[in-house]
Amino acid sequence: MKLHEYQGKELLRRFGVNVQDGKVAYTPDEVRQIAQEYGQSVVVKAQVHVGGRGKAGGVKFSPTPDKAYENGQKILGMDIKGLTVKKVLVTKAVDIDKGKEYYVGMIVDRNVQSYTLMACAEGGMEIEELAVEKPEAIIKHRVDPVAGLRPYEAREIALKAGFQGNLNKLADMMVKMSKAAFELDANLVEINPLFVGEDGVPLALDTKFDVDDNAMYRHKDLADWRELEAEHPLEIEASNYGFAYVKLEGNVGVLGNGAGIVMTSLDVVNRAGAKPANFLDIGGGARADIVYNAIKLVSKDSDVKAIFINIFGGITRADEVAKGVIQALKDGILTKPVRMRIAGTAEEEAKALLAEVNSDLIQMYPDMFQAAEAAAQEANK
Amino acid sequence: MSILIDQNTQVLVVGMTGREGANHTKAMREFGTQVVAGVTPGKGGLTHEGLPVYNSVKDAQANHQIDCAIIFVPPAGAADAVLESAHAGVPLIVLITEGVPTIDMMRAVQEVKQLNAASLAEGGKGIRLIGGNCPGLVSSGLSKIGIMPNKIYSEKGRIGLISRSGTLTYEAAKLLGDAGLGTSTTVGIGGDPIIGTTFADVLPLFEADPETDAIVVIGEIGGADEEAAAEYIKNHMKKPVVAFISGRSAPKGKRMGHAGAIIMGNVGTPESKLAAFADANVPVADTMPQIIDLVKQVLNK
């Protein structure tokens, strides 16, 4: 689960990280009020779950409360990559010329089977751009998953990266960020820019925080922060059903049993000359009602012109899949052509059930290629 | 010989009395697997389908020679069950559970590796973890420690199969069977970002297995495990390897069902995996049926 900047900062604050003061505003009046309260120049920053806010005009320096109000008016309600800005963070501004910006971050790194801590003396940029432009400037360090990051390691990394400032305080900030990552199950946590002013004290100006969805059961307090409006409405409905579902830009609805088979089904639809409208994994052992809901969900997508069902039953029984499809047809939920391939456990029973249904809407094929081909043809009609 | 398991492997089912544990215990026994006991904390002393149930892995280990523990414990307790089995000295641990928190896996994998090193240093068998989020492993016709459909693994063949995806291993095994090639051992390594055994860990076992003539590697987008496998093949393998990459049309930044199936920045792209296999002279099938053509080609070389 991705968190907003202000939420990530709140979490870092809880772990003792020195974070730039800021407050959230929902109206231009609130923006002005916060700016007046701070009595200094502020920065108004859009809070949306996409990168590139600055380039899109979603981050504005505001020397006076009136200017802050004006910037609040501009940013609130603006569209950034398809998302409407509903709230802004108003933070105290710092004079970046009177200090230096750095980058520190921790990411789950499957290659070292733990977190990798990254530190770089070039702050303010996206780490991916940094990695392309100056890979040698990024210092990387595997963090022991049991011991965590120790202060001496943090000091070594800060020195290697060429950080200037109070070394102990820099290391302390990194250690605290690391604790936050472990205790909050972060997939990613970044402090960028990490600003060191003339006093040598590090200050977190911005942060990125992404929490492992599999660990949300132990962070129930963070679950309230999930913002469903930021996700596609069909993705929200799918999560209510417990499906792994991704909305894509195409015309063939794709569903199957298992992430691997659905991924391959997307590839096969592409090869057949159409585009998948979604990724939908009904999971292992799905019963008829689950399949019924899956068809209901995919049918709601107006982009979908045909549905490709690809089942290789292991735990999943093919006859249960067939029953779900047939029920959806009877209830009038299945209104688009379904082209399916069904194999594995209880394949014969499934085929017998489907053979009884006399409808042009449902057709079976002996392999996934022919089924995908047929679905693509229907969708492209 | 097959790799890792055979008809003599004595299996303990951790979480045996839960729904999945019970169903798959039955299916594994139908396949011919020697399931000898189960563990469900609090149900020690009971029997399940004629098999003894223990409160802990240690208790089971005291009464049986356990070669492998298969774990069907829900996500919150899954890593703990792995560590319990590892500390009890079970040499092969198969974690089926999907959705285990990443940090739990980081810690468990590291600890299992340390216990493995200690066991080997003392002249023991070592300790290996396969999974999580995996379908398990099968030695065709001999033993299945996992959740794969029994039918497609009934006959022994000579092709080794390693995959990150459960359903695609079924698909590939069926294709290999229908083509008269068949599988020797199938290892589902799992679709999570942090897993106990990688492609590169399994490849040397197949290289050394006299009953395996060629290996099929089924990868997917995300991570760099396929690249590491290609590197290993290039430097160490004499047996032919054929690959397949799933999710080639998936968009960047979207998680495709598997926690590990996501392209982040420039890491985990199909291009990088295809290039790595090309560099290692490993032919990559464009479609699953093409795997069969490629396997036949490399066997005839």
Side-chain angles (χ1 to χ4, degrees), chain A residues 113 142 145 257 267 341, chain B residues 107 110 113 167 171 195 249:
Chain A
Q113 300 191 308
R142 178 185 188 266
N257 62 321
D267 297 343
R341 173 273 198 149
Chain B
R107 290 179 171 149
Q110 172 160 307
K113 287 195 168 162
T167 37
E171 194 85 50
I195 49 177
S249 60

Side-chain angles (χ1 to χ4, degrees), chain B residues 125-206:
Chain B
K125 287 183 194 165
I127 293 170
R128 179 191 295 275
L129 168 66
I130 293 178
N133 189 14
C134 82
L137 65 167
V138 193
S139 170
S140 297
L142 301 177
S143 181
K144 176 187 86 165
I145 305 176
I147 61 172
M148 300 87 160
N150 288 354
K151 205 175 154 188
I152 50 175
Y153 292 100
S154 55
E155 281 180 50
K156 189 128 191 113
R158 298 190 61 88
I159 309 300
L161 185 56
I162 327 172
S163 171
R164 279 167 71 182
S165 150
T167 37
L168 294 185
T169 52
Y170 314 160
E171 194 85 50
K174 174 138 197 327
L175 289 167
L176 287 163
D178 289 350
L181 292 161
T183 46
S184 52
T185 305
T186 295
V187 185
I189 58 170
D192 277 354
I194 307 230
I195 49 177
T197 297
T198 63
F199 289 124
D201 295 327
V202 181
L203 286 166
L205 306 178
F206 278 128

Side-chain angles (χ1 to χ4, degrees), chain B residues 61-92:
Chain B
Q61 188 73 302
N63 290 284
H64 305 268
Q65 173 57 49
I66 308 292
D67 302 311
C68 175
I70 179 168
I71 298 174
F72 292 98
V73 172
D80 186 55
V82 167
L83 291 175
E84 181 186 356
S85 306
H87 280 279
V90 177
L92 181 64

